[in-house]
Amino acid sequence: MRLTVSTWNINSVRLRIDLVRRFLDEAKPDVLCLQETKCPDDRFPLKELQGFGYPHIVFAGQKGYNGVAILSRLPLVTREVMSFCERQDARHISAVLGPEAGAAAGIAVHDFYVPAGGDVPDAKLNDKFAHKLSFMDELRAWGGRRPSGPAILVGDLNVAPLEHDVWSHKQLLDVVSHTPIETERLETLRGEAGWIDTMRHLRPPPEKIYTWWSYRSPDWAAADKGRRLDHIWVTPDLAGTVRSVTVARHARAWEKPSDHVPVTVELEL
């Protein structure tokens, strides 16, 4: 069985719902995980998204900020929302593929939106950066006690962990998302829990891979000053099933795009 799972920080699901439709029509993933939906639950466009051929949807949101959702062609069970740092701020949602999902049945999908961290990489001077580090510490603790079984972790983790995940390693060492304290934390929590970074599993360094390009760069394609902030990880029992990981770079050039682009993994179960 072929299973495809995509992740995309959409930067407002209602504002960019036509882009969601465009991507789903084009890529046809079995599962699409969204972050930064920026939509309270009572305004979430559930019926419109279901009309795109994804009848099974779980979501958690709030007004104006954050928000996560999982859209699936396959049945979902056991919706769960975890809170971190004693905040109910819609940064995680998970579901398990149901018994009718064939060989994919029982796989848990976790969708995360890690705090961006602001602009100053100093926890003493910047509460947003302190929050980000605390969130990552709690994510590390959760990974150490996560229930066993096959799982996929996706999302905008807001960290570009490796040297070749950014356009300039040296110039970004003191820029939030690529500072040593963030990159070491992310790689530590991933390694301790045994998660496999699917993108680097198939496409190791020194290949440059980016999933985000700043709105501040008017000619983003020519400058190509990107970062790999969006990730798809799998548990070791799924590592051998990973066949491809693709980055839909062209979506960054769509009209009124998100600054992130979709990332898709294909598993052969």
Side-chain angles (χ1 to χ4, degrees), residues 111-163:
D111 183 8
F112 280 95
Y113 177 43
V114 172
D119 295 325
V120 179
D122 187 324
K124 295 180 180 179
L125 301 176
N126 178 5
D127 289 341
K128 291 182 179 180
F129 194 68
H131 177 213
K132 181 176 190 175
L133 297 183
S134 296
F135 189 103
M136 293 173 72
D137 287 341
E138 292 190 16
L139 182 56
R140 176 184 180 184
W142 167 79
R145 60 176 186 269
R146 184 188 61 79
S148 60
I152 303 172
L153 185 156
V154 310
D156 176 6
L157 304 186
N158 262 314
V159 179
L162 306 180
E163 178 177 345

Side-chain angles (χ1 to χ4, degrees), residues 51-73:
F52 299 165
Y54 291 77
H56 311 285
I57 299 178
V58 294
F59 54 92
Q62 63 183 80
K63 184 178 180 180
Y65 297 94
N66 309 337
V68 285
I70 301 175
L71 289 59
S72 178
R73 295 182 185 275

Side-chain angles (χ1 to χ4, degrees), residues 49-265:
L49 294 170
Q50 288 176 325
F52 299 165
Y54 291 77
H56 311 285
I57 299 178
V58 294
F59 54 92
Q62 63 183 80
K63 184 178 180 180
Y65 297 94
N66 309 337
V68 285
I70 301 175
L71 289 59
S72 178
R73 295 182 185 275
L74 304 170
L76 299 173
V77 296
T78 62
R79 172 188 181 275
E80 180 185 5
V81 175
M82 292 190 295
S83 61
F84 290 79
C85 304
E86 299 182 344
R87 302 188 188 190
Q88 304 292 329
D89 56 356
R91 292 186 177 275
H92 167 269
I93 194 166
S94 69
V96 175
L97 293 169
E100 302 89 345
I107 295 177
V109 179
H110 291 272
D111 183 8
F112 280 95
Y113 177 43
V114 172
D119 295 325
V120 179
D122 187 324
K124 295 180 180 179
L125 301 176
N126 178 5
D127 289 341
K128 291 182 179 180
F129 194 68
H131 177 213
K132 181 176 190 175
L133 297 183
S134 296
F135 189 103
M136 293 173 72
D137 287 341
E138 292 190 16
L139 182 56
R140 176 184 180 184
W142 167 79
R145 60 176 186 269
R146 184 188 61 79
S148 60
I152 303 172
L153 185 156
V154 310
D156 176 6
L157 304 186
N158 262 314
V159 179
L162 306 180
E163 178 177 345
H164 296 283
D165 291 338
V166 294
W167 65 273
S168 174
H169 173 61
K170 291 183 179 179
Q171 293 185 63
L172 295 181
L173 280 172
D174 60 352
V175 174
V176 174
S177 79
H178 192 61
T179 65
I181 191 171
E182 295 168 89
T183 60
E184 290 167 9
R185 261 179 167 80
L186 190 72
E187 284 297 273
T188 295
L189 72 85
R190 184 187 63 78
E192 286 183 350
W195 295 106
I196 306 299
D197 179 350
T198 61
M199 208 174 307
R200 287 310 187 182
H201 182 65
L202 294 185
R203 300 165 61 181
E207 180 182 355
K208 291 277 192 181
I209 306 176
Y210 311 141
T211 66
W212 173 91
W213 293 263
S214 175
Y215 286 134
R216 297 175 184 175
S217 179
D219 195 354
W220 68 272
D224 203 23
K225 293 184 176 181
R227 305 177 203 174
R228 185 172 74 105
L229 303 181
D230 305 272
H231 301 262
I232 300 179
W233 299 349
V234 298
T235 45
D237 48 0
L238 293 177
T241 72
V242 179
R243 295 293 176 265
S244 69
V245 181
T246 55
V247 178
R249 177 188 170 105
H250 64 285
R252 184 63 177 80
W254 290 348
E255 186 176 358
K256 296 181 179 179
S258 170
D259 45 0
H260 296 254
V261 298
V263 179
T264 302
V265 66

